[in-house]
Amino acid sequence: MKDFAPANAGKFADPARTADGSPRATVALSDPRTLWFNTGTLCNIACANCYIESSPTNDRLVYLTTADVVDYLDQLDARGWGVTEIGFTGGEPFMNPDMIAMTEAALARGYEVLVLTNAMQPMMRPRVLAGLDRLNRAYPGKMTLRVSLDHWSEALHDAERGVGSFARSLDGMDWLRDAGVPMTVAGRTLWAEGEAVTRAGFEQLYAARGYAISAQDPGQTVLFPEMDETVEVPEITTACWDILSISPNSVMCASSRMVVKRRGAENPAVLACTLLPYSPEFELGETLEEAERPVALNHPHCAKFCVLGGASCSAGS
């Protein structure tokens, strides 16, 4: 049995059944739209609450290479998934020396590209900035950088990411603004201020700095709930879809998969979910063909974050 907090003891043990014996909900890959690549878990900072535990020393997921990305882009062509978006996440993607080349490989195939970044020093290196500027000019409107800005205030953002991180991220966002690179923001809702207040705060920040980002559009200012496994959550049964009036097609694993490479592994692997990189039961195989099978919603994050929270990591969420 997985070692969950006491609040969820006895739950999420059987992929087929919930703790009370009800059939567990599963989600089929019904409409694949986004293929994610985790470029590696190394990051230039260590946040207080990072779901993937990224840090300057965590290399549990090692750097992907351009060849790895090209191989999976070839598989997308072969499988005919209909994916329109390639996403890159980390760690901090711009720590990966192949980041510009991997982005270009996806853009050259005609995909929309979404890169998740803290917009700090790794992105601000001259070589990286030159690459971003070149790609933005060559593929206008096709590449978007989603900047992790946990809160609209410096104090609360820095409480999560370290003193001075807010100012450094804004420096990066200023560069993106001036270069005309499309950007969005990912914030958090762990502060008890209400979504309307949070969005109003971001709206004021964007206006003050001239950022062309909508604070009210949940696809441009994405607010993620805190993923706390110590909080009790209900398991999702097959009956829940009708009870909640939610379609399984709306859950993230119906439309996306993520490629990672584990330290010591010979080849990359495909995961069902971007939020569960270390849970072996969500590893589906090494190929996209293997990753086409349904996913059992057998983790607290499946309930709290995806089904009940309605969250998604894609650009159009």
Side-chain angles (χ1 to χ4, degrees):
M1 183 179 296
K2 292 183 283 295
D3 185 22
F4 291 123
N8 292 306
K11 298 181 179 180
F12 307 104
D14 183 342
R17 296 278 169 178
T18 62
D20 67 1
S22 300
R24 185 178 303 283
T26 62
V27 173
L29 185 68
S30 57
D31 186 24
R33 290 286 140 196
T34 305
L35 182 61
W36 287 93
F37 291 93
N38 188 297
T39 63
T41 41
L42 286 173
C43 187
N44 56 303
I45 57 175
C47 296
N49 296 288
C50 178
Y51 79 94
I52 202 170
E53 301 170 6
S54 297
S55 76
T57 58
N58 178 10
D59 64 349
R60 291 173 69 182
L61 302 182
V62 299
Y63 288 152
L64 289 175
T65 67
T66 306
D68 293 328
V69 170
V70 168
D71 175 61
Y72 283 97
L73 296 179
D74 289 343
Q75 291 184 49
L76 280 178
D77 291 341
R79 301 305 300 169
W81 275 17
V83 159
T84 58
E85 176 187 62
I86 299 299
F88 292 99
T89 184
E92 169 50 49
F94 291 110
M95 298 275 286
N96 187 313
D98 278 10
M99 191 60 233
I100 294 297
M102 292 189 293
T103 302
E104 186 163 19
L107 289 168
R109 300 281 187 111
Y111 292 106
E112 303 277 341
V113 171
L114 178 64
V115 183
L116 277 54
T117 178
N118 57 38
M120 295 170 72
Q121 288 89 335
M123 190 197 81
M124 293 294 282
R125 289 174 292 172
R127 177 184 63 82
V128 174
L129 295 182
L132 289 174
D133 186 56
R134 178 176 61 81
L135 293 179
N136 187 54
R137 293 175 186 276
Y139 303 94
K142 299 287 284 184
M143 177 184 68
T144 300
L145 271 62
R146 180 189 288 169
V147 179
S148 297
L149 208 62
D150 290 322
H151 195 260
W152 49 267
S153 73
E154 181 174 23
L156 291 181
H157 176 89
D158 283 3
E160 175 67 26
R161 294 183 178 254
V163 175
S165 61
F166 186 77
R168 291 194 292 275
S169 289
L170 292 186
D171 285 344
M173 294 177 73
D174 287 351
W175 184 90
L176 294 171
R177 175 201 63 203
D178 294 344
V181 177
M183 61 176 166
T184 59
V185 159
R188 300 199 194 197
T189 59
L190 75 125
W191 299 279
E193 64 182 8
E195 182 175 339
V197 173
T198 299
R199 293 194 180 279
F202 275 114
E203 191 166 45
Q204 291 178 5
L205 175 68
Y206 301 158
R209 301 191 76 91
Y211 297 155
I213 306 171
S214 169
Q216 304 304 322
D217 183 343
Q220 293 193 36
T221 301
V222 188
L223 299 179
F224 289 114
E226 193 68 4
M227 292 178 288
D228 185 353
E229 293 183 20
T230 67
V231 175
E232 183 177 8
V233 294
E235 295 182 281
I236 304 301
T237 69
T238 54
C240 288
W241 302 124
D242 289 335
I243 294 170
L244 299 170
S245 297
I246 294 174
S247 168
N249 294 339
S250 67
V251 180
M252 190 162 56
C253 50
S255 60
S256 68
R257 294 290 186 264
M258 182 170 75
V259 177
V260 305
K261 189 169 185 181
R262 303 194 187 283
R263 184 180 60 222
E266 184 176 350
N267 298 307
V270 187
L271 308 186
C273 180
T274 62
L275 308 177
L276 299 168
Y278 306 130
S279 298
E281 67 271 28
F282 290 90
E283 185 169 320
L284 303 176
E286 294 183 354
T287 68
L288 296 187
E289 182 177 7
E290 293 173 288
E292 290 172 353
R293 56 191 171 93
V295 178
L297 300 185
N298 194 27
H299 192 280
H301 290 349
C302 302
K304 183 174 188 292
F305 192 80
C306 291
V307 176
L308 303 177
S312 170
C313 287
S314 69
S317 61

